[in-house]
Amino acid sequence: MATIAYTHTEDGSVNDGSVSVFQWTPLTTTSPGGAPIGAVQYADRSVQVVGTFGAGGSITFQGSNDGTNWAALNNAQGSVIALTAASQLKQIVEIPRYIRPYVTAGDGTTSVTAILVARRANPLRT
């Protein structure tokens, strides 16, 4: 199974370099995992998934402190983030060392793009 690389851009509407956008595409049932990002510098993180979920499609966001052992992350309500429809937007509560998206269910038509927007507590440049 292939790991899907991410693209990283800075939000151009914020001039201090504090907001980053990470995007993984396409995540499928045969390439379910996104490459992990280093996440400890980001105080705030929100996630959204768009695309075709297919029959029973679900994607979670996982965290790890060692890059090997992964656990599902939770939203602000304390529930595991398990997105099953496009355009749902959720906040991530935990601040693990690494974060990645992972397709946990779907069919041959499942093809989604995961988007994570993260804000640094202390901008890199001012």
Side-chain angles (χ1 to χ4, degrees):
M1 291 186 194
T3 299
I4 303 302
Y6 59 82
T7 59
H8 171 235
T9 57
E10 288 188 6
D11 184 336
S13 67
V14 181
N15 294 326
D16 64 4
S18 64
V19 177
S20 290
V21 179
F22 298 90
Q23 189 167 305
W24 297 262
T25 194
L27 295 167
T28 66
T29 56
T30 57
S31 296
I37 63 163
V40 294
Q41 70 271 30
Y42 299 108
D44 298 307
R45 293 139 337 272
S46 66
V47 294
Q48 184 175 25
V49 178
V50 297
T52 303
F53 280 74
S58 181
I59 184 170
T60 188
F61 283 80
Q62 300 176 332
S64 174
N65 286 330
D66 63 9
T68 301
N69 299 294
W70 296 91
L73 297 173
N74 296 293
N75 63 27
Q77 290 72 40
S79 301
V80 167
I81 297 171
L83 304 176
T84 57
S87 297
Q88 295 177 342
L89 186 66
K90 300 292 179 184
Q91 175 188 14
I92 296 175
V93 175
E94 300 87 359
I95 303 177
R97 185 173 176 194
Y98 304 106
I99 294 176
R100 72 177 183 184
Y102 200 87
V103 172
T104 57
D107 62 16
T109 66
T110 301
S111 181
V112 295
T113 298
I115 305 162
L116 183 142
V117 175
R119 183 187 64 84
R120 288 181 190 85
N122 298 310
L124 295 178
R125 55 181 190 266
T126 55

